[in-house]
Amino acid sequence: MLDLRDICKRYVTQSFTQVALDSVSLSFRDNEFVAILGPSGSGKTTMLNVIGGLDHFDSGDLLIDGISTKDFSDRDWDAYRNNRIGFVFQSFHLMPRENALENVALPLMFKGVGKEEREQRAMEMLKLVGIDNRYKHKPKEMSGGQQQRVGIARAFVTDPSVVFADEPTGNLDSKTTFEVMELIQKLVYTKNQTLVMVTHDSNVAKYSDITVNICDGKITSKDYNTK
Ligand code: ADP
Ligand code: MG
């Protein structure tokens, strides 16, 4: 579904140039659960932001369903972000004034789904992630694990073509990490969801089907995990 071809990305500051992605070529197929594993600073977040349309790359090409994005306009990228993808963040990025149900329903509003259907679908997702009894709670009234369940529900609610997760357990303790990864794995298989997750933690990467190693902005290996 996604094809990265020789993607390069540098950050240029006054004092230095940092190569974040160094000629990355990689593809993600439908229904794959892929973990990108690498140490801090290896280019993981840059890669997710580039393939999620949140940031631009300098050279190379990203193909979406075989179509080059070289000539994509801002509108094309907006449509891709709103209609095709979901994002799970390390620090949850929930709207602080909105309750759990409203947070999960928000991406459906951007898609133009009516209020009644939005709330019904958001509630179903909250049930799937096991926190429907807290639907009225605001983020600050929930634990980190509960907030990330809301974040996961929000990413999955639109049935996107692909979900991206950037260190989804990075702010969680080890017990909650285990619970959240079990949940992500269950959702991936029940919904046949394509998911690309980046992590520095090999214990977290193990939950995926495929582990891609990245170091200094370069892909060093791709392995199929045995379960
Ligand atoms: P990771 O997510 O694997 O920790 P990042 O993609 O965040 O890595 O960063 C890759 C490299 O690019 C690092 O060396 C980082 O310091 C650098 N970098 C990331 N964002 C910026 C930025 N906005 N300006 C300058 N350098 C950056
Ligand atoms: Mg990162």
Side-chain angles (χ1 to χ4, degrees):
M1 188 226 139
L2 294 170
D3 248 308
L4 290 79
R5 299 207 177 148
D6 288 321
I7 297 264
C8 294
K9 166 96 185 158
R10 291 172 304 159
Y11 292 105
V12 182
T13 63
Q14 274 181 335
S15 48
F16 68 98
T17 296
Q18 175 69 46
V19 176
L21 296 176
D22 188 358
S23 200
V24 169
S25 295
L26 192 59
S27 39
F28 302 110
R29 297 206 173 79
D30 285 342
N31 303 335
E32 277 182 350
F33 177 9
V34 182
I36 316 271
L37 176 65
S40 173
S42 56
K44 304 183 299 294
T45 293
T46 304
M47 181 157 136
L48 270 202
N49 288 347
V50 158
I51 56 182
L54 303 179
D55 201 355
H56 294 290
F57 45 93
D58 300 325
S59 61
D61 198 4
L62 169 68
L63 280 72
I64 302 171
D65 294 331
I67 295 166
S68 168
T69 57
K70 271 188 179 148
D71 298 321
F72 258 33
S73 64
D74 288 347
R75 262 183 80 158
D76 294 327
W77 284 116
D78 278 347
Y80 171 61
R81 281 192 300 264
N82 288 337
N83 299 321
R84 302 292 307 274
I85 71 179
F87 245 102
V88 179
F89 300 95
Q90 174 171 355
S91 46
F92 324 132
H93 283 310
L94 303 177
M95 306 289 277
R97 290 165 192 275
E98 313 289 331
N99 66 32
L101 186 74
E102 290 158 346
N103 266 284
V104 176
L106 201 62
L108 294 171
M109 195 162 87
F110 289 122
K111 287 191 79 170
V113 176
K115 189 164 191 284
E116 202 176 325
E117 186 188 336
R118 279 204 305 267
E119 291 186 348
Q120 189 209 329
R121 285 171 66 179
M123 202 62 192
E124 270 167 32
M125 270 315 304
L126 285 177
K127 268 196 200 113
L128 270 180
V129 301
I131 48 164
D132 48 312
N133 58 342
R134 301 196 185 249
Y135 76 99
K136 275 191 171 165
H137 289 228
K138 302 260 169 76
K140 66 170 188 295
E141 298 160 348
M142 290 184 279
S143 69
Q146 288 166 346
Q147 288 183 61
Q148 193 59 301
R149 284 168 191 268
V150 175
I152 291 164
R154 178 184 58 187
F156 278 72
V157 75
T158 55
D159 287 321
S161 307
V162 56
V163 168
F164 298 115
D166 189 350
E167 305 267 10
T169 58
N171 282 358
L172 305 176
D173 61 48
S174 56
K175 178 170 171 280
T176 314
T177 291
F178 170 79
E179 290 167 1
V180 164
M181 287 315 302
E182 293 270 311
L183 170 68
I184 288 178
Q185 200 179 45
K186 182 190 93 179
L187 285 177
V188 162
Y189 294 130
T190 51
K191 292 189 147 257
N192 280 327
Q193 179 64 61
T194 310
L195 192 137
V196 180
M197 168 181 77
V198 307
T199 178
H200 67 278
D201 184 343
S202 57
N203 285 319
V204 167
K206 271 185 208 149
Y207 287 87
S208 69
D209 303 321
I210 298 169
T211 301
V212 173
N213 282 279
I214 183 169
C215 192
D216 296 332
K218 283 195 181 84
I219 305 296
T220 53
S221 63
K222 178 174 179 175
D223 302 300
Y224 290 82
N225 299 331
T226 48
K227 290 254 164 64

